[in-house]
Amino acid sequence: MCGIVGYVGSKQAAPWLLEGLQTLEYRGYDSAGVSVVSPSGNLHGVKCAGRVAHLVERAKVANLNGTCGIGHTRWATHGAPTDRNAHPHYDCSGRIAVVHNGIIENYQVLKRQLMLDGHAFASDTDSEVIAHLIEEAWNGPAKGDLASAVRNACDRLEGSWALAVVCADVPGELVVTRCGSPLVVASTDDGAYAASDVMPLASVTSHVLQLEDFDIATLGSDGSISIIDRDGRTVDHPTAIDIDWDASAAKLGGYSDFMAKEISEQPEAIERLLAGRLGEHGIEMDELTLTRAELAAVDRVFIIACGTSYHVGLIAKTVIEKWARIPVSCEYASEFNYSDVLVTNHTMCVIITQSGETADTLTAARRMRGMGCNVFAITNVLGSTAAREADGALYIQAGPEVAVASTKAYTAQMVAAFLLALRLALAHERMSIEEVQRHYEDLCQVPGLMRQVLKRRWQDKQAARLFNGKTSALFLGRNVNSTSAYEGALKLKEISYLHAEAYPAGEMKHGPIALLEPGFPVVAIVPADHVHDKTVSNIQECLARGAVVVGVATDGDERVAKMCQAVLWVPPCPDELIVPVVAALHLQLLARYVARDRGYDVDKPRNLAKSVTVE
Ligand code: G6P
């Protein structure tokens, strides 16, 4: 949900601001803008609807001279994605510029008051009130002190924000702050940087500082960073994060799109995650802050997540219940936050979130902690809010995931959940060390199985043609592969804009079967497992109504081969619970080919954002 960047230093600001926005574009891409202050105190900028690439073109002719500036890439909440609603927003004098990520919930009250006081507004956004509030404070109580003016303005805000602010009257100063939305800062020899997350900073430093809510940081052109808290006290020891991603990890590296790159990176991601996890006492997971006795006492698990991560949660529920015999509830965070929740004294909460910044998931985690539950985060982004606020965090180490549709984080999070299930199973004495070892060894086969699927991508390319001219599709699967169906359908609709419905195969007869007509595409995940025959019968029901069926089946399954118009072959897996991790690659590839056949940008699907930091 919107990305923000800021720079002040000895170099021209615009080149890095624009580069940083391109790196952050996965957070939103319906409009973008930058403002730069020249050393002589001129504030000028350019902003426009559309992608950052469009802004880059506009910036070329705008001659943005200055060594201090801010930038923004937007995912619209308040106000249409137009030029006038693009950030930065300015005060009445045009000397203060602000970029904002978040939502100002009381903006209507504030705007009304500001207008009565004579302020003129130039946009329909909630964010613009911030520029005018800073203006009031700058001209009033803060008396020309930008950090104080920002603090003063924030005192009047309700909602969530990460802000970067520049003022023409202090050309060597950049002020940033946050409440509920992420923000990191970094000091280098060239100056000081700020960004919504570590990704744009990987090209300039390997060491960043994490701001806490209500911290206000003043960044100077000599690279200095001074931070005060909401009471004006100096913050001496902000949380430091070492970035171990090199900048090239967030570059295409020869691939045509990030989705293709990230699909291909899955075997290595799983290898990294599994390395060193098996010790003589079972699964090594120091990230868990519960003692073995506390783990053994866990009598209920809540898994809370959104989107693709929620699908990981569904698989995790099956695996934890099967291996550790602990009842698990898997909840959408946005639903969980507004429902009754029954916890025991020994309830454990697991949040699954690639970005670690999804607002609904964070709210749920805070709620669970407030009820005394131990919260364990499975996440990808170093130093993310989820990781910092949880009692323990397991990093999946998948590396930066840039494409909006999650791929490598999905499979790595699943494997992380399998490891957690094994840890719980051992603590609950549901498995011997030997059994844990055997399951771990099964997981170690996943990268090799994935590599085999990647070599078969031509199957997905061919099958994608069956979707030409179609407007809708049905995904079916049973047991753990009903979740594969949900995720396959989500991938397809996210990037190809084809309507895709997913159902447990046996449930199809209670409604979705009415959709079927000759030529209707169905994707059936039908591996060699204990429900294979049942799913085969459901495929027959589809065929009887003229559907075109793409099967996702285990090598050598002649029965499925004869029935289906196309088969995406999955190599035999050592455990049927592992099939969703391996089959996921076919479903990702299929969705990507369908979307590309339609000419869509698979990395930046319309209306979506990778990191959803608003409720
Ligand atoms: C957005 C993204 C999805 C992601 C979901 C949850 O909707 O487009 O790909 O699965 O957020 O994100 P999280 O970072 O919490 O896993």
Side-chain angles (χ1 to χ4, degrees):
M1 294 295 98
C2 303
I4 67 175
V5 286
Y7 169 75
V8 56
S10 53
K11 298 188 300 185
Q12 283 294 317
W16 182 78
L17 294 175
L18 293 166
E19 186 191 309
L21 289 181
Q22 274 167 328
T23 313
L24 283 182
E25 205 173 10
Y26 68 90
R27 299 178 68 89
Y29 34 81
D30 57 40
S31 55
V34 288
S35 289
V36 168
V37 190
S38 74
S40 57
N42 279 323
L43 177 60
H44 46 237
V46 49
K47 56 182 190 170
C48 51
R51 299 279 170 89
V52 176
H54 185 41
L55 177 73
V56 171
E57 289 308 312
R58 299 275 293 267
K60 275 184 194 153
V61 289
N63 186 26
L64 295 170
N65 174 37
T67 55
C68 174
I70 55 178
H72 188 271
T73 178
R74 179 169 187 245
W75 185 86
T77 58
H78 295 65
T82 56
D83 287 1
R84 72 189 230 107
N85 289 332
H87 296 220
H89 293 291
Y90 298 90
D91 72 325
C92 296
S93 70
R95 298 189 66 73
I96 295 170
V98 175
V99 289
H100 169 222
N101 164 212
I103 290 183
I104 304 305
E105 288 163 2
N106 60 336
Y107 85 100
Q108 280 166 317
V109 179
L110 293 169
K111 187 168 178 177
R112 214 171 301 127
Q113 186 57 52
L114 286 160
M115 286 173 81
L116 285 174
D117 294 341
H119 290 264
F121 280 76
S123 79
D124 314 314
T125 65
D126 55 335
S127 310
E128 193 185 347
V129 296
I130 305 166
H132 295 278
L133 289 175
I134 296 172
E135 176 188 11
E136 289 219 321
W138 173 264
N139 293 327
K143 293 190 181 58
D145 174 348
L146 191 55
S148 299
V150 171
R151 181 152 67 103
N152 211 294
C154 290
D155 281 347
R156 297 174 66 183
L157 302 178
E158 288 168 21
S160 61
W161 58 87
L163 302 177
V165 184
V166 290
C167 173
D169 297 322
V170 276
E173 208 171 286
L174 164 68
V175 173
V176 299
T177 186
R178 60 163 285 190
C179 165
S181 299
L183 194 65
V184 290
V185 293
S187 170
T188 74
D189 292 342
D190 293 330
Y193 295 80
S196 293
D197 67 34
V198 297
M199 275 219 245
L201 299 176
S203 62
V204 292
T205 182
S206 57
H207 190 71
V208 303
L209 301 176
Q210 180 81 55
L211 293 188
E212 300 297 333
D213 278 353
F214 304 108
D215 281 355
I216 297 180
T218 302
L219 283 56
S221 52
D222 56 354
S224 61
I225 298 175
S226 55
I227 306 175
I228 52 169
D229 65 16
R230 66 191 315 179
D231 301 316
R233 285 186 302 244
T234 303
V235 176
D236 284 331
H237 301 291
T239 313
I241 311 166
D242 288 322
I243 312 174
D244 63 358
W245 295 339
D246 78 72
S248 65
K251 299 235 160 24
L252 277 172
Y255 286 89
S256 58
D257 50 83
F258 281 104
M259 187 175 185
K261 178 174 183 247
E262 288 158 10
I263 289 173
S264 303
E265 287 171 345
Q266 291 178 93
E268 290 73 31
I270 304 296
E271 274 164 358
R272 268 198 305 278
L273 175 58
L274 288 172
R277 287 284 172 186
L278 185 68
E280 59 180 310
H281 302 298
I283 298 301
E284 302 279 348
M285 203 176 276
D286 295 344
E287 298 90 340
L288 269 174
T289 53
L290 293 172
T291 62
R292 185 155 179 170
E294 286 167 335
L295 266 189
V298 169
D299 56 6
R300 181 139 197 225
V301 177
F302 269 93
I303 301 178
I304 306 172
C306 299
T308 288
S309 295
Y310 171 78
H311 295 155
V312 176
L314 292 177
I315 301 274
K317 170 181 160 66
T318 306
V319 179
I320 294 172
E321 287 183 340
K322 190 170 172 73
W323 287 351
R325 314 302 294 169
I326 306 169
V328 181
S329 305
C330 180
E331 311 276 346
Y332 283 116
S334 54
E335 287 293 306
F336 173 85
N337 290 335
Y338 299 99
S339 61
D340 273 347
V341 50
L342 301 176
V343 297
T344 65
N345 287 338
H346 301 288
T347 297
M348 177 184 180
C349 171
V350 180
I351 55 168
I352 305 175
T353 166
Q354 187 282 134
S355 63
E357 302 296 346
T358 302
D360 288 326
T361 307
L362 294 177
T363 303
R366 287 170 194 144
R367 187 174 179 213
M368 287 304 257
R369 284 199 88 206
M371 286 188 284
C373 295
N374 186 282
V375 173
F376 184 65
I378 296 178
T379 186
N380 190 31
V381 177
L382 280 178
S384 60
T385 307
R388 288 183 303 118
E389 292 189 4
D391 295 287
L394 191 160
Y395 288 111
I396 56 170
Q397 299 174 63
E401 193 180 64
V402 177
V404 166
S406 183
T407 54
K408 60 179 178 174
Y410 175 60
T411 50
Q413 287 175 156
M414 268 195 276
V415 171
F418 279 74
L419 292 174
L420 176 64
L422 290 175
R423 187 83 170 78
L424 286 165
L426 198 61
H428 280 246
E429 297 180 357
R430 301 289 186 185
M431 265 190 207
S432 63
I433 294 263
E434 291 70 30
E435 283 171 298
V436 169
Q437 279 169 353
R438 191 174 53 74
H439 284 292
Y440 176 82
E441 277 154 21
D442 288 348
L443 289 174
C444 289
Q445 290 190 39
V446 166
L449 296 166
M450 286 177 156
R451 287 191 177 99
Q452 290 187 51
V453 172
L454 290 172
K455 284 188 191 143
R456 303 170 180 191
R457 61 181 71 216
W458 57 270
Q459 295 168 0
D460 306 285
K461 193 170 187 174
Q462 277 185 0
R465 295 191 194 124
L466 297 172
F467 293 78
N468 282 349
K470 308 292 180 192
T471 54
S472 195
L474 180 62
F475 282 68
L476 300 174
R478 279 176 182 256
N479 200 253
V480 275
N481 287 304
S482 58
T483 303
S484 298
Y486 299 147
E487 177 59 14
L490 179 63
K491 283 284 94 66
L492 189 70
K493 67 186 141 200
E494 277 180 309
I495 59 172
S496 75
Y497 316 144
L498 213 100
H499 167 248
E501 182 103 12
Y503 252 77
E507 229 1 66
M508 174 183 67
K509 54 189 173 288
H510 298 293
I513 199 164
L515 294 171
L516 300 183
E517 58 184 357
F520 190 98
V522 173
V523 179
I525 298 104
V526 55
D529 60 10
H530 74 286
V531 286
H532 177 266
D533 291 351
K534 302 282 174 204
T535 316
V536 165
S537 300
N538 300 130
I539 295 177
Q540 294 287 13
E541 291 158 10
C542 296
L543 293 169
R545 287 155 184 87
V548 170
V549 180
V550 176
V552 182
T554 308
D555 285 356
D557 190 336
E558 287 305 321
R559 202 163 144 215
V560 170
K562 285 202 185 95
M563 292 163 74
C564 296
Q565 274 77 1
V567 183
L568 309 176
W569 292 108
V570 176
C573 295
D575 182 333
E576 63 183 56
L577 291 175
I578 283 177
V579 171
V581 191
V582 181
L585 275 64
H586 269 312
L587 299 169
Q588 296 162 356
L589 288 162
L590 178 67
R592 179 178 170 276
Y593 283 120
V594 173
R596 290 201 29 122
D597 286 351
R598 290 170 180 237
Y600 296 134
D601 177 348
V602 295
D603 287 343
K604 298 188 187 77
R606 70 182 180 209
N607 302 336
L608 297 178
K610 184 144 195 76
S611 185
V612 184
T613 55
V614 294
E615 275 197 48

